[in-house]
Amino acid sequence: NLYELHCEYGVAIGRRLGFSSAVLSIIGEHHELYDGSGYPKRLAGDAINLLARIVAIANYYDELCNPANALDALTPHEALATMFARLRTRFDSRLLQAFVRSLGVYPPGTVVQLSNGVIGMVATINTAKPMKPMLVVYDEEIPKEEALLVDLETEPDINIARALRP
């Protein structure tokens, strides 16, 4: 119960700071889930402020990637796949689809192994070709400031083989 009160405390602080009603709604409802399983008021569907529904998706994704116990962390790719495949009823489907489209199949920060064995990290997505993002290639002998950037769209013979846990 104490944890769930942070929304209420946040709204009280926001009021004292003079935040707008839209911002106060986001603060108060950012843990409400579309299926009614969220908190603190167990709101469902369109009863949840639109902006709060957007923040709830981003917040849930962040919690999957950055939980209190780092050993439980999912990769960005796993988090999106989990949210879309297993947890989709918890979120507004239109907003979840937009979120997935904006982050791509392999969201920025995803560590991947390429079909040629090279390891890299997704730097930016390619909305036109989601399987062909821009990568920062990992090479232990090259300082990270000088790391090679590879645009998979310009490398037709190289593909992402799998996402890796960092």
Side-chain angles (χ1 to χ4, degrees):
N1 279 349
L2 182 60
Y3 181 74
E4 290 187 13
L5 288 174
H6 84 271
C7 299
E8 184 179 322
Y9 295 148
V11 169
I13 292 168
R15 276 196 184 105
R16 286 196 305 272
L17 293 171
F19 289 174
S20 70
S21 61
V23 172
L24 294 175
S25 291
I26 294 169
I27 294 168
E29 299 175 9
H30 73 281
H31 284 291
E32 300 288 358
L33 297 173
Y34 206 70
D35 66 356
S37 67
Y39 64 87
K41 296 180 181 175
R42 311 286 186 257
L43 299 175
D46 293 340
I48 305 165
N49 175 285
L50 174 64
L51 298 175
R53 282 184 266 154
I54 293 168
V55 172
I57 292 170
N59 186 64
Y60 205 97
Y61 171 79
D62 182 57
E63 288 176 0
L64 290 175
C65 294
N66 303 293
N69 180 353
L71 295 176
D72 296 331
L74 298 181
T75 66
H77 177 71
E78 291 169 333
L80 275 185
T82 297
M83 289 174 70
F84 193 76
R86 290 196 352 236
L87 305 173
R88 83 172 58 168
T89 60
R90 293 186 182 180
F91 311 103
D92 181 320
S93 62
R94 296 166 302 140
L95 298 176
L96 181 60
Q97 287 173 5
F99 186 74
V100 170
R101 271 194 315 275
S102 71
L103 289 181
V105 176
Y106 297 99
T110 302
V111 178
V112 296
Q113 183 173 29
L114 301 178
S115 55
N116 63 2
V118 170
I119 294 176
M121 183 175 70
V122 175
T124 61
I125 64 164
N126 179 339
T127 54
K129 294 184 179 178
M131 301 301 286
K132 296 288 189 173
M134 177 84 68
L135 302 176
V136 177
V137 174
Y138 172 75
D139 183 332
E140 63 186 35
E141 296 182 17
I142 297 176
K144 64 181 175 182
E145 303 81 31
E146 299 172 22
L148 181 65
L149 286 175
V150 175
D151 184 351
L152 289 183
E153 186 172 12
T154 65
E155 301 291 338
D157 298 331
I158 301 174
N159 296 303
I160 293 175
R162 63 190 178 120
L164 302 173
R165 288 191 165 270

